[in-house]
Amino acid sequence: MLEEVERWLATRSWSVSDRPLHRVMAAKRSSGQTVSVVLPALNEEETVGDIVAIIRHDLMQQVPLVDEIVVVDSGSTDRTAAVAAAAGARVVHRDAILPRIPAVPGKGEVLWRSLLVTTGDVVCFVDADLREFSSDFVTGIVSPLLTDPDVDLVKAMYDRPLGGAAGQGGRVTELMARPLLNMHWPQLAGFVQPLGGEYAARRSLLEQLPFPVGYGVELGMLVDALHLVGLDALAQVDVGVRKHRHQDGQALGRMSAAIYRTAQLRLARGHLIRPSLTQFERGEDGFEPRTYSVDTEERPPMVEITEYAERKVA
């Protein structure tokens, strides 16, 4: 490991308990910063309501740490929107945001558009499929941004059990993202959960970043933030254990392909000959190929979007 990374681990890796809530609230009051929490959601009616309710109770009613909770629904066919609204979130449909630019499927697309419908100086992203959710996920990653002006982006780190096995989750991280980062961006080798969906950042940083529209968004954001603000502006906080719905192997393969594509673009802006992935499923006549497109589109920095610039002026 690079000496720089060892130093970073000692100075920019914290636990949620390192910053008592009273200290964080004092920093928030003195700085006047506001906090938005965004949940990207697609068919998450089983979990989204509990997450919203816990954040509202712990971090809006008991202490005013969070100023708004926005659930961005990316086309759910279940009761995700109704459940989220009943729990107290403001629900916005992806397609209603920036209709001038037709929406495409993908998590990164939703996160990018959320910047137009939130107002917080600090924006905190939380996946909507978490089980046994704790508000520590939010306080942990928001607190350094409120107390340390030199920090611009904070990732959550945690254990990820798979089935009953501790530490076996995060298969795409271990098989794809971590090798890529160690080989090509070794300064980022200290991140425990580089692909985790729970992170917070200053709006002033997020609005300058391009957003890969699909699963490459987390890796792309880390790499781009490193180049824009440097390693010492990035941090991570231990928030315990993350339990969520796991995807099957083929879905993980498609996720890996999108992440590899994101990395490739950042390595050399090189030409990808075949932006697709073929996988196999057993059918009546043996193994049958299924070919999927790999996300290749990216959204520009939000600061370049006319509607966003007009909103800032207004």
Side-chain angles (χ1 to χ4, degrees):
M1 184 176 287
L2 295 178
E3 237 179 78
E4 182 183 8
V5 176
E6 291 182 352
R7 177 192 55 76
W8 178 84
L9 281 169
T11 60
R12 285 291 186 263
S13 292
W14 299 298
S15 168
V16 65
S17 61
D18 288 340
R19 288 174 172 78
L21 196 53
H22 68 84
R23 176 186 161 200
V24 176
M25 290 307 303
K28 183 176 190 286
R29 285 191 294 270
S30 65
S31 67
Q33 295 179 91
T34 54
V35 177
S36 299
V37 175
V38 172
L39 278 72
L42 177 63
N43 294 331
E44 302 294 357
E45 66 177 0
E46 293 184 7
T47 51
V48 68
D50 287 343
I51 297 172
V52 170
I54 289 169
I55 295 172
R56 276 189 59 80
H57 176 267
D58 293 359
L59 304 180
M60 296 182 82
Q61 295 168 349
Q62 295 221 334
V63 293
L65 179 67
V66 171
D67 297 281
E68 64 175 349
I69 306 176
V70 178
V71 171
V72 183
D73 186 355
S74 58
S76 298
T77 56
D78 65 1
R79 298 182 60 251
T80 290
V83 170
R90 177 161 59 92
V91 180
V92 185
H93 195 281
R94 174 200 63 197
D95 296 349
I97 307 170
L98 197 61
R100 173 176 65 84
I101 301 176
V104 298
K107 179 184 180 182
E109 177 83 355
V110 172
L111 301 184
W112 182 70
R113 289 174 186 265
S114 75
L115 297 181
L116 262 169
V117 292
T118 54
T119 59
D121 303 301
V122 171
V123 183
C124 172
F125 299 118
V126 176
D127 281 351
D129 66 343
L130 301 189
R131 302 180 185 279
E132 301 179 28
F133 178 77
S134 165
S135 58
D136 283 351
F137 274 75
V138 175
T139 55
I141 56 180
V142 164
S143 295
L145 294 162
L146 297 175
T147 58
D148 190 336
D150 295 327
V151 174
D152 288 327
L153 185 149
V154 182
K155 297 278 294 190
M157 56 177 167
Y158 33 66
D159 296 311
R160 295 185 68 178
L162 177 63
Q168 295 303 305
R171 291 162 287 173
V172 175
T173 293
E174 300 305 329
L175 297 174
M176 174 61 71
R178 199 176 307 286
L180 281 172
L181 292 175
N182 276 263
M183 287 187 289
H184 300 299
W185 296 281
Q187 287 178 293
L188 298 174
F191 277 95
V192 175
Q193 298 292 350
L195 300 185
E198 290 68 50
Y199 48 97
R202 300 191 192 280
R203 177 177 294 272
S204 56
L205 171 62
L206 293 171
E207 66 186 14
Q208 297 182 69
L209 299 177
F211 276 61
V213 298
Y215 285 119
V217 63
E218 276 84 22
L219 183 133
M221 189 177 294
L222 265 187
V223 171
D224 294 340
L226 173 67
H227 290 305
L228 193 62
V229 295
L231 182 60
D232 282 340
L234 314 180
Q236 60 185 351
V237 174
D238 187 350
V239 297
V241 179
R242 183 186 197 265
K243 296 181 180 180
H244 65 111
R245 171 174 45 80
H246 292 283
Q247 301 195 54
D248 62 35
Q250 293 207 338
L252 296 180
R254 296 190 289 274
M255 186 185 302
S256 297
I259 290 165
Y260 180 77
R261 168 62 172 172
T262 300
Q264 185 195 47
L265 285 172
R266 279 153 181 78
L267 283 169
R269 297 290 163 179
H271 176 63
L272 184 63
I273 296 173
R274 184 173 179 266
S276 59
L277 174 72
T278 298
Q279 297 176 318
F280 295 87
E281 297 177 6
R282 185 183 291 279
E284 293 181 3
D285 300 319
F287 285 101
E288 300 173 357
R290 300 283 188 274
T291 299
Y292 301 88
S293 297
V294 174
D295 295 319
T296 58
E297 188 169 356
E298 297 196 4
R299 294 306 191 188
M302 186 57 80
V303 73
E304 297 177 7
I305 300 298
T306 301
E307 290 87 340
Y308 187 81
E310 289 174 347
R311 192 192 73 166
K312 293 188 73 174
V313 171

